[in-house]
Amino acid sequence: MLKNPANKYRPFAPINLPNRTWVNQIISHPPTWLSTDLRDGNQALIEPMNIERKLRMFNLLINIGFKEIEVGFPSASQTDFDFVRYLIEQQLIPDDVKIQVLTPARKELIYRSFEALQGAKQAIVHLYNATSPVFRRTVLGLDRQGTINLAASAATLFNQLAATQPETNWQFQYSPETFTATELEFAKIICDRILDIWEPTPENKAIINLPATVEVSTPNIFADQVEWMHRHLNRRDSIILCVHPHNDRGCGIAAAELAQMAGAERVEGCLFGNGERTGNVDLVTLALNLYTQGIHPGLDFSNINEIAQIVEDCTQLPIPSRHPYVGDLVFTAFSGSHQDAIKKGFAVQKPDTFWEVPYLPLDPADVGRTYESIVRVNSQSGKGGIAFLLERDYNLTLPRRLQIEFSQIVQKFMDASGKELSSREIWELFEQEYLQPRKSLKYVSHQLYIAEDGTQMLSAKLQISNEYITVHGKGNGPIDAFAIALNSLLNFAFDLPLDSKLQIHHYEEHSRHLGSNSDAIAYVEIAGTFVTGTLHGVGINSNIVTASLIAIINAVNRSVEPANTGFNRKQINQLKQFMHPENYQNFTPM
Ligand code: KIV
Ligand code: ZN
């Protein structure tokens, strides 16, 4: 049992911002993106990246389109120092890309950071110190003024060291670490103090980064904090306001989105939300959320599987199956009603219109995902999913009532096996049920005749009990004629009452292009006194009439087994006499 938390945890105090404006804002363009995969993300790995993996990640980030990349924490790790040197010395940084390094507010570490950056064309140096009361009191042993002094002397050193490396185009960034737990007016005081030292201009802005080092509140409170800073910071026109959400409460994405509405212009995060504890905010989700609103994020995730694979290789961490936009199952529907809606949506979705496929907020093809996994069939599924797979993979467009009939067969099979069925297994079940000739009646050949008044006559040679017999019937088309012809046979061969009438309840056909093969497929739904309700038969043949006759035979075979499976010669002769041909005189072969 969970303990009573009231004496252990305090609710987050609301922000006094009665005239907040962020609630009415709409995000209409992407933020400036900063990937910290190689710094914050890397610091959170069980096994931090070596130079080779860092380089792979760096190249991936460049290919995706990041223009600002935090490449490491060179004063904290030799690998990071060497990696920054390697990038600069090997001239691996494209001219339009700024690298960023993080440094604490400590003199020797700041020296080391500037040393790592020697020779860079442009660089962002990122200064941080913790500012919240708990940190001041418990971790640092500093009061407010001491905390300000620490940051201020670090900021001053930034100016001095940058002046000694004039070949680099410098930009400075300050993060009041633990911002979300810091008193707002104190966060403003310390940021303003740093800005007074750096003296940014609208042409050469400083970055003020507001980290949710730990996510401690609902995202609306974070948005209030950001809007408060946005409105109260000095030199606002010379600042790029940035956020760096973590995801402790699972709201990192919402926090980053609301923060942009509240005035943040830049977002720091990692691919697929890697990062300390529950992760940094996921830049892929943020970017694709924008994309699904019709806003190009300026980052390319058109091959998300390959990106995911590289990230997993570099971080050695798996991406969960339900992770937005990328997880193995995120474009998959198991539920029958979802599958049905998706199938209908795909049927009407046109390539040049707005995306409106139910349950899929994004066209999987836009991120390089195939439609393969969209519908998977298990015991939760229904006719829609089954029909979708047969249509997509086997070019069968099942009539609705056949979908219902077949889904019951699939359901029974799955209830027995308890397993998911692949598209191939569904097809095999379908073939077995509807297409494989049964022992009773078999189609052999047919001939169509027509009279002057348009009446059609059909003679069909069938195999029954290893004997051949030809049946004849007249009707207004081959299907009608065949049904009539079969009726007499059914009465005799299946021991059915003489008034047993075979009726064709429904008939559909379509051509089926599979590679070079273009077969016709016919679906019939039959009714009759020998059938409970109705039932279906399916026939496939290159000739459409043949496909229809086979479909009828397959339906009949599914409904009854001949009473006399072993007719003797006498019976067969009787049958042949009984099935005497109609008068052919007025008919000519078609
Ligand atoms: O989460 C955090 O506060 C950080 C800072 C160093 C920006 O990563
Ligand atoms: Zn962080």
Side-chain angles (χ1 to χ4, degrees):
M1 237 254 282
L2 269 180
K3 286 190 260 176
N4 177 6
N7 297 324
K8 188 159 187 183
Y9 301 101
R10 275 176 297 225
F12 198 87
I15 309 295
N16 182 17
L17 193 67
N19 50 355
R20 58 179 63 77
T21 61
W22 62 264
V23 277
N24 294 321
Q25 303 306 309
I26 287 164
I27 302 175
S28 57
H29 58 272
T32 299
W33 305 106
L34 176 287
S35 153
T36 184
D37 287 270
L38 289 161
R39 198 279 296 171
D40 218 354
N42 185 53
Q43 283 185 280
L45 297 180
I46 301 161
E47 192 188 310
M49 290 179 244
N50 57 21
I51 298 243
E52 197 190 348
R53 283 199 271 146
K54 278 198 151 217
L55 196 57
R56 197 156 174 232
M57 175 67 87
F58 181 76
N59 288 330
L60 175 71
L61 295 168
I62 299 285
N63 290 339
I64 291 171
F66 284 96
K67 301 296 176 203
E68 300 190 3
I69 302 172
E70 193 162 54
V71 288
F73 196 164
S75 63
S77 133
Q78 187 63 43
T79 309
D80 280 19
F81 186 93
D82 293 344
F83 179 63
V84 178
R85 293 307 314 143
Y86 185 76
L87 290 180
I88 296 168
E89 283 162 18
Q90 300 299 314
Q91 303 186 353
L92 298 175
I93 308 159
D95 285 346
D96 62 347
V97 171
K98 281 188 207 167
I99 57 165
Q100 171 171 315
V101 301
L102 179 75
T103 177
R106 269 179 47 197
K107 194 172 155 195
E108 65 283 10
L109 302 185
I110 296 170
Y111 270 102
R112 181 87 170 140
S113 305
F114 274 86
E115 187 190 339
L117 288 168
Q118 264 174 15
K121 288 195 184 120
Q122 47 184 349
I124 303 169
V125 198
H126 179 185
L127 172 69
Y128 80 96
N129 67 316
T131 53
S132 67
V134 175
F135 267 73
R136 293 192 314 250
R137 201 175 50 240
T138 315
V139 184
L140 304 170
L142 290 171
D143 61 9
R144 280 189 176 204
Q145 194 53 52
T147 309
I148 295 171
N149 292 346
L150 179 77
S153 43
T156 309
L157 186 57
F158 267 44
N159 284 350
Q160 290 163 2
L161 293 179
T164 64
Q165 292 172 221
E167 69 281 9
T168 302
N169 188 4
W170 297 105
Q171 187 167 30
F172 296 157
Q173 170 167 333
Y174 175 64
S175 292
E177 196 202 5
T178 61
F179 163 76
T180 42
T182 302
E183 312 90 321
L184 279 173
E185 86 291 350
F186 181 62
K188 169 184 156 52
I189 291 170
I190 197 162
C191 290
D192 283 342
R193 178 78 183 93
I194 303 299
L195 292 169
D196 286 343
I197 295 166
W198 285 343
E199 295 182 318
T201 62
E203 291 71 43
N204 188 14
K205 297 184 185 194
I207 301 165
I208 292 293
N209 183 38
L210 305 177
T213 306
V214 179
E215 185 178 51
V216 290
S217 70
T218 48
N220 60 308
I221 287 183
F222 184 58
D224 278 355
Q225 292 172 316
V226 173
E227 180 166 335
W228 193 95
M229 291 295 279
H230 168 58
R231 282 155 58 170
H232 288 84
L233 277 173
N234 292 340
R235 303 173 190 260
R236 184 63 189 86
D237 63 349
S238 302
I239 301 168
I240 295 165
L241 195 60
C242 180
V243 287
H244 174 113
H246 280 264
N247 195 36
D248 299 79
R249 295 168 54 99
C251 300
I253 293 289
E257 289 178 336
L258 300 192
Q260 289 172 71
M261 292 158 65
E265 300 147 297
R266 183 177 187 262
V267 177
E268 295 193 349
C270 292
L271 297 177
F272 308 119
N274 179 39
E276 200 77 304
R277 303 179 308 280
T278 49
N280 285 77
V281 72
D282 172 14
L283 297 183
V284 182
T285 300
L286 273 181
L288 290 174
N289 281 357
L290 278 178
Y291 185 81
T292 60
Q293 301 303 297
I295 299 166
H296 200 293
L299 299 176
D300 184 0
F301 294 110
S302 59
N303 195 346
I304 205 161
N305 285 354
E306 194 183 314
I307 294 172
Q309 200 201 319
I310 296 174
V311 171
E312 284 184 333
D313 284 355
C314 290
T315 60
Q316 309 273 291
L317 288 176
I319 298 170
S321 306
R322 301 280 180 204
H323 194 101
Y325 300 111
V326 68
D328 284 346
L329 295 179
V330 298
F331 297 116
T332 299
F334 284 106
S335 137
S337 60
H338 292 199
Q339 294 177 342
D340 209 39
I342 290 173
K343 180 175 176 294
K344 288 175 179 152
F346 268 113
V348 296
Q349 180 65 43
K350 304 236 161 45
D352 47 356
T353 53
F354 283 116
W355 179 253
E356 280 184 332
V357 177
Y359 296 111
L360 294 177
L362 172 84
D363 180 353
D366 288 348
V367 288
R369 294 283 288 256
T370 61
Y371 295 122
E372 278 300 287
S373 57
I374 289 177
V375 167
R376 287 170 58 175
V377 170
N378 66 11
S379 57
Q380 296 299 306
S381 314
K383 64 178 179 2
I386 295 162
F388 179 89
L389 293 181
L390 285 179
E391 181 156 359
R392 187 192 65 191
D393 299 339
Y394 295 94
N395 285 6
L396 301 191
T397 310
L398 303 194
R400 208 182 110 73
R401 290 160 63 86
L402 174 54
Q403 289 178 23
I404 296 169
E405 186 186 290
F406 181 52
S407 72
Q408 284 159 5
I409 293 165
V410 175
Q411 193 67 43
K412 218 188 249 173
F413 186 87
M414 272 182 316
D415 285 345
S417 77
K419 284 207 305 237
E420 181 190 351
L421 273 188
S422 70
S423 162
R424 189 185 172 78
E425 287 165 323
I426 291 171
W427 162 249
E428 282 167 5
L429 211 55
F430 184 84
E431 253 192 326
Q432 199 179 307
E433 182 65 30
Y434 293 98
L435 295 169
Q436 277 169 15
R438 303 198 178 197
K439 57 177 186 258
S440 340
L441 279 183
K442 282 184 194 145
Y443 167 88
V444 179
S445 62
H446 75 273
Q447 176 62 55
L448 263 176
Y449 302 86
I450 190 154
E452 271 178 6
D453 65 357
T455 313
Q456 293 194 15
M457 155 114 130
L458 182 129
S459 296
K461 188 172 174 189
L462 307 176
Q463 190 187 345
I464 180 167
S465 265
N466 296 327
E467 291 287 343
Y468 293 95
I469 187 159
T470 304
V471 296
H472 313 272
K474 267 191 271 181
N476 52 23
I479 293 166
D480 190 34
F482 187 56
I484 289 166
L486 265 187
N487 261 324
S488 2
L489 178 68
L490 286 175
N491 296 148
F492 185 90
F494 294 89
D495 233 4
L496 293 167
L498 276 175
D499 60 350
S500 302
K501 282 275 171 283
L502 167 69
Q503 292 152 25
I504 307 294
H505 218 269
H506 184 76
Y507 170 79
E508 268 180 45
E509 39 105 343
H510 64 80
S511 68
R512 183 166 170 258
H513 297 275
L514 273 181
S516 56
N517 192 353
S518 175
D519 279 335
I521 179 155
Y523 309 95
V524 292
E525 183 180 10
I526 63 165
T529 41
F530 54 97
V531 178
T532 324
T534 63
L535 71 101
H536 290 85
V538 184
I540 297 181
N541 196 276
S542 53
N543 177 300
I544 183 60
V545 174
T546 310
S548 315
L549 305 191
I550 293 173
I552 296 171
I553 289 171
N554 284 345
V556 167
N557 279 336
R558 292 186 65 232
S559 67
V560 280
E561 283 294 312
N564 296 307
T565 40
F567 290 113
N568 59 33
R569 170 102 346 245
K570 191 170 154 218
Q571 286 169 312
I572 292 290
N573 286 339
Q574 269 178 356
L575 191 56
K576 283 184 175 165
Q577 272 170 27
F578 180 68
M579 302 299 306
H580 62 84
E582 298 279 342
N583 182 355
Y584 282 79
Q585 272 172 16
N586 301 325
F587 289 86
T588 45
M590 284 173 79

